[in-house]
Amino acid sequence: MRKGIGSESARLFSQAKKLIPGGVNSPARAFRAVGGQPFFVAKARGSTLTDVDGNEYLDYVCTWGPAILGHAPRPVLRALRAVEPNGTSFGTCSALEVRMAQMISSLVPSVEKIRMVNSGTEATMSCIRLARGFTGRDLIVKFEGCYHGHVDSLLVRAGSGPLTHGQPDSAGIPKALAALTKTLPFNDFEAVRELFKREKRSIAAVILEPVPANAGLYLPQPGFLEELRHLCNRYGAILIFDEVMTGFRLAPGGAQEIFGIRADLAAFGKVIGGGLPVGAFGGRADIMDLLSPDGPVYQAGTLSGNPLALAAGLAQLEELQRIDGWKRLERKGRHLEQIFLEAIGKKPVCFHRIGSMFCLYFTRGPVRNLDDAKKSNTKHFAKFFRTCLQQGVYFPPSQFETAFFSLAHSHSDFEKTATVLTEAL
Ligand code: HOZ
């Protein structure tokens, strides 16, 4: 068994803390919720991370979603090598942008027009501005525990890092702006109907992760997404799906395909960048046409449509199509689920999985919303996390994140993990 963080990681972390707030460039990475210190990665290949001290970890974070083929997949590296001699950024139009737009709109039928940005945060932020511009209304509805990046209007009762660190409403956001965001419990049909009845035609948009994956992982109850679609139609509000996590991961057409719901706008990221920084948002042409320079809603970006990111993303999507990756992931997921459930046995742990995303809550469940998720014993989670890490299995360092696996994860990886799970539980 390993003893814990290696000396080189420890040395780097102490240097990092002097110069980088918390020593990290994104709060979830700081291990605050699980104790200990983060390890520093030297190399990522397939299903494995190797740290600067030479320790190997079976990785179930998968760079928080993008690594769907595994780390450093050959088709992506090949594509990067092919485009890199032509330059790293053009700041103007390229054929890759047209190819990516064609790819996304062919996979996601609701996307009639698409624009590329650099992160999921930019994508959701742009959807909100566009929805307000289109409807001429100000109110936004979001759900407790859903996280849509660090956008001012959306950091209200947010999941992920804010929830992990006990600050679901961030400081620094004007009260007047936060007041324009109404939050509701996920899966609460009555609460949504009531709000629409009260606010009627003041609601610009409803934004949600169709499968909330930033407070652990829970699923929409049958009919919930349909009800949101119906209410948005009835009251003229825009339905925004944040598919930054689920897009191109659960299915070619993401959660919209799985649940058969067409969003008006959707935000994407992660998988479509092949591990490089990217985001995108798209949807109904009549809404997208309001964007500058065609319309009055402003949005722009120096690195938007970056050739390296697009080449990597296209290569990843083409490979997924070529090998029918989503079906393979589902088959792997069934195997993982079966042996994880065996390892869990009768212990008070609630296991959720959809496609290649999963989560263990330290409560019997059911978990259908943020309040249920918060019943999980986070001390038990932290202990579980540390035991797994010591055995070389890396889960997300927070109860309020989702775990991922990739096509590079083998059956023997899962079996090794199940053995570790049995011990850790
Ligand atoms: N908020 C991200 C996951 N839900 C974490 C990003 C990161 O730390 O890289």
Side-chain angles (χ1 to χ4, degrees), residues 26-29 63-64 147 160-161 213-214 245 270 401:
S26 190
R29 303 175 191 181
T63 177
W64 306 93
Y147 174 75
S160 191
N214 280 288
M245 289 219 191
K270 302 206 190 257
E401 298 287 355

Side-chain angles (χ1 to χ4, degrees), residues 16-17 22 35 42 54 63 84 131 150 154 188 226 233 235 250 256 270 290 319 348 371 392 396 411 423-424:
K17 281 191 289 190
T63 177
E84 159 267 315
H150 55 101
L154 300 174
D188 190 333
E226 286 82 352
N233 288 350
Y235 290 96
L250 296 186
Q256 295 183 71
K270 302 206 190 257
L290 245 66
E319 181 66 1
D371 282 350
H411 281 204
E423 187 187 321

Side-chain angles (χ1 to χ4, degrees), residues 184-197:
L184 297 173
F186 195 78
N187 274 329
D188 190 333
F189 290 72
E190 260 325 292
V192 190
R193 285 184 198 127
E194 278 294 305
L195 185 71
F196 266 101
K197 233 189 256 165

